[in-house]
Amino acid sequence: MQVQDTPEEWQVTATTTPFTGKKTSVRTDEVVMPDGSVVRRDYQVHPGSVAVVALDEQDRVLLLKQYRHPVRQKLWEIPAGLLDVPGENPLHAAQRELYEEAHVKAGDWRVLADVYTTPGGCDEAVRIFLARDLAEAEGERFEVSEEEADMEYARVPLAELVRGVLAGELHNNCLVVGVLSLMAARAGEGLDALRPADAEWPARPFEA
């Protein structure tokens, strides 16, 4: 048996949007269940995101520490951001986020993992990239604001991040998935066997 997620769409008899925000909204669907009953499902509609595990030549990962108001914590995270334009190429978005948040560029890009962050209540899809061959970006640093203006930066050994994840000290989902996927790839067929940076992404289709 091949263990693989498959597309499926149950009948929706009615849809409303009780809330619309700047980047996301909340949708309420009336969904027909297999037994014929109809139930209400509320979920956040999200444009999608990208995240980057930026690995340097000393086997350290570039991290940012940022305040996250919903959980009332400052979390260590990898560079990440929204797909601001429908159909946006996720690699271009990831390169932009790495530049804007860390003023870094990378010469080698691969896909580590594609995930739905909270599929029970949100349709957010995230593509997590591995970026290597790092260098300082040219030009002036991107001007940040709001929570990003208070960010801390660090380069942390990959092994220390794995320890922190398993010890329950690090909680950002993109960091956790990215770091553990990187270790799994190394233990398996190697990093060169990872999908190319322009690999198809059915959750958020894009043009090259």
Side-chain angles (χ1 to χ4, degrees), residues 71 97 116 155 188 199 201:
V71 296
E97 293 301 330
Y116 292 114
R155 294 196 183 201
W201 190 17

Side-chain angles (χ1 to χ4, degrees), residues 89-91 109-112 114 127 129 194-202 204-206:
N89 187 307
L91 173 59
W109 291 82
R110 309 275 174 155
V111 175
L112 270 175
D114 297 327
R127 169 157 282 188
F129 290 90
L194 289 168
R195 286 175 292 160
D198 60 354
E200 181 183 4
W201 190 17
R204 293 294 185 274
F206 62 93

Side-chain angles (χ1 to χ4, degrees), residues 60-126:
R60 300 176 302 176
V61 176
L62 192 158
L63 298 184
L64 319 167
K65 195 174 190 181
Q66 185 171 350
Y67 176 66
R68 294 301 187 183
H69 186 71
V71 296
R72 307 302 198 272
Q73 291 192 41
K74 273 192 166 184
L75 302 180
W76 282 110
E77 305 179 353
I78 56 178
L82 297 175
L83 291 169
D84 293 314
V85 180
E88 183 177 16
N89 187 307
L91 173 59
H92 299 167
Q95 291 170 332
R96 179 187 69 237
E97 293 301 330
L98 186 60
Y99 163 72
E100 290 183 355
E101 294 194 344
H103 201 66
V104 167
K105 62 181 181 179
D108 184 86
W109 291 82
R110 309 275 174 155
V111 175
L112 270 175
D114 297 327
V115 297
Y116 292 114
T117 54
T118 48
C122 180
D123 71 352
E124 181 184 12
V126 181

